Amino acid sequence: MKYLIAFAQAHNEFRLPELDSVSELYGFEYTLCQSLDTSDPQRPYMVINLESEKHARHLARRCILVKAIYEFYGQGGTYRELHEANRANRALWERFIPDTSFKFIVSAYNHTIPQARQTEIIESFSYMDFQGKIDMKNPDNIIGCFEEYTDRHGTTRNKHEGDGHFRQVYLGRLLEEGSARQLIGHFDVKKRVYYGNTSMESEISLLMTNQTMAAPGKLIYDPFIGTGSMAYPAAHFGALVFGSDIDGRQMRGKCRPPGVIRAAKQYGVSQRIIDLCTFDVTHNPWRCGSLFDAIVTDPPYGVRAGAKRLGRKRELSPARYAAYLEHQKAPRPNDQPYIPPTKPYELSTLVADLVLLARYLLKPSGRLVFFLPTVVDEYQEIDIHSMLCDGMEVIANSLQDFGSWGRRLVTIKKTASLSYLPPAFMLGEAAINDHVPAHRDFREKYFQGFKKDITASIPNEERKDN
């Protein structure tokens, strides 16, 4: 069976990875209808093959980027081609002829169709001969006809200029509207009782959660949980969530109970937040691996909040170290707990270490889902693959483009069934020496406006002469 998907016009590159993840979650497969020239994820409509209507409904109820799914009747470059395809598929719609109420809608992408032509289009389908009554409020069936026009933003034109010169026209019966998109408003950060300046927007956090395939009975971990943006949608879909951060203030806030728990109560999922702990992921308390079904996180990359790890920026001199040891022996008041020193955690080292940690903590076939900021012009595929280790494989890599820079939603799957020892986090630093990825020193590049180092391209001899 063929089904027509109408997508929301946002995050185009995320569409196919989301379809892949949701279909795998529910245990079915889909294929793109290559012969119909509708497999381009950048276009607003896509025709796919599914075994049953139930699978199409699963996509509509879980995919954040799906506006609606239709039973596909036909498409064409002209209305003549569309009518021929629709007549050939009479077996799909003839059962609705006798006594079902219906409604016909006509709309366009990147265009507004005049009302008079909308009426003409509807009347051109009179051969379908539906005998039921027309019901504009609560019909049994909604038949949709959609014209797709090329993007003409930035051009000056009259209101209906180019009317009828569409790229493709589609026809189908509405099966189900995408109910998952309502969750974007439900998890809106502006309506949340607790959030911070690094809280992830709700639509992106929902897309990340779908990549984890969160579901009841699954255990998910966020090692940089911050204010908990990824925890709430994961818990909403039924998963149990554990979170940690090197800065406990981000999780706690200034009131009791902790801010993440207060926000989880707002969404009715506080019972699915297992615990929140403060520790450095490179000095973690995990004593056994293969615990989690997924790890989802948005690592700090230094623009609004920099990544930290335990340690000192500069080693203490012998004299200062001896003084430090003496100071440690002195009794400390209860209201002055020891706060260990921290040092910056370079992004490329962080993500390489994150992959190592995920390999240790994930169950076989578990997923690591995270955002990786990068310089768009400098990015290469090897940037992602250079951070991998044995037993880990990239299955999705989508760009959210901001112009000079962007962030990539990366999904890595644990393909190994072996048990690994706890990582020493020395390999992460060694892994970046062979290749310098575009996300190396991202913070410095960001605040420099991504200006290229001109002197780097000048031979040493010329630099000496100058």
Side-chain angles (χ1 to χ4, degrees), residues 36 75 152 182 193 391:
L36 297 177
Q75 74 173 92
R152 294 176 291 179
Q182 299 173 6
V193 297

Side-chain angles (χ1 to χ4, degrees), residues 134-392:
I134 298 174
D135 187 345
M136 302 302 290
K137 292 185 178 180
N138 190 28
D140 295 326
N141 292 294
I142 297 178
I143 308 299
C145 182
F146 310 100
E147 295 179 357
E148 177 192 356
Y149 290 77
T150 55
D151 189 356
R152 294 176 291 179
H153 290 300
T155 61
T156 303
R157 61 186 188 280
N158 296 326
K159 183 177 181 180
H160 299 299
E161 183 180 341
D163 184 51
H165 300 290
F166 47 80
R167 183 176 182 179
Q168 284 283 299
V169 59
Y170 308 86
L171 183 72
R173 176 180 67 91
L174 178 64
L175 189 63
E176 188 159 339
E177 293 184 348
S179 55
R181 285 198 63 76
Q182 299 173 6
L183 294 175
I184 298 174
H186 178 68
F187 289 107
D188 187 358
V189 175
K190 295 178 182 178
K191 303 175 185 176
R192 191 174 298 166
V193 297
Y194 180 70
Y195 60 90
N197 63 347
T198 59
S199 295
M200 181 69 73
E201 59 266 35
S202 59
E203 186 173 18
I204 293 295
S205 62
L206 285 161
L207 287 169
M208 295 180 72
T209 303
N210 272 347
Q211 289 298 99
T212 69
M213 303 194 298
K218 292 193 174 184
L219 185 57
I220 294 179
Y221 173 42
D222 186 347
F224 303 96
I225 193 170
T227 57
S229 294
M230 264 64 74
Y232 312 128
H236 172 81
F237 289 127
L240 300 176
V241 180
F242 183 92
S244 70
D245 204 297
I246 193 172
D247 187 353
R249 296 171 298 177
Q250 290 289 319
M251 300 180 288
R252 293 191 298 267
K254 297 181 179 180
C255 305
R256 289 186 177 273
V260 172
I261 301 300
R262 283 188 284 121
K265 286 182 177 179
Q266 175 186 0
Y267 299 124
V269 296
S270 59
Q271 71 280 9
R272 296 190 186 129
I273 307 298
I274 295 178
D275 208 348
L276 304 170
C277 292
T278 301
F279 58 79
D280 176 5
V281 292
T282 64
H283 296 76
N284 62 72
W286 304 116
R287 294 299 174 261
C288 62
S290 302
L291 290 173
F292 298 101
D293 295 281
I295 295 175
V296 58
T297 192
D298 180 31
Y301 43 88
V303 175
R304 292 182 180 176
K308 302 288 185 180
R309 63 188 300 184
L310 295 181
R312 297 182 181 276
K313 296 179 182 179
R314 291 184 297 273
E315 293 297 328
L316 296 177
S317 64
R320 292 193 63 184
Y321 185 67
Y324 165 75
L325 293 178
E326 287 297 321
H327 177 74
Q328 289 296 99
K329 295 178 183 179
R332 183 181 295 108
N334 293 332
D335 61 345
Q336 294 183 10
Y338 173 69
I339 300 177
T342 59
K343 61 182 180 181
Y345 199 180
E346 204 283 316
L347 179 62
S348 57
T349 303
L350 185 156
V351 293
D353 287 345
L354 180 61
V355 175
L356 287 172
L357 180 67
R359 185 179 68 170
Y360 171 59
L361 291 179
L362 287 175
K363 297 176 181 178
S365 299
R367 292 183 167 198
L368 167 64
V369 181
F370 66 98
F371 259 119
L372 178 69
T374 187
V375 183
V376 173
D377 292 340
E378 299 178 11
Y379 171 78
Q380 304 176 54
E381 287 297 322
I382 194 175
D383 291 354
I384 302 295
H385 293 282
S386 64
M387 70 178 68
L388 295 180
C389 54
D390 292 339
M392 302 293 280

Side-chain angles (χ1 to χ4, degrees), residues 74-92:
Q75 74 173 92
T78 64
Y79 273 97
R80 180 178 178 179
E81 294 178 1
L82 175 62
H83 289 310
E84 289 177 357
N86 187 38
R87 287 189 171 95
N89 285 325
R90 181 182 177 89
L92 297 177

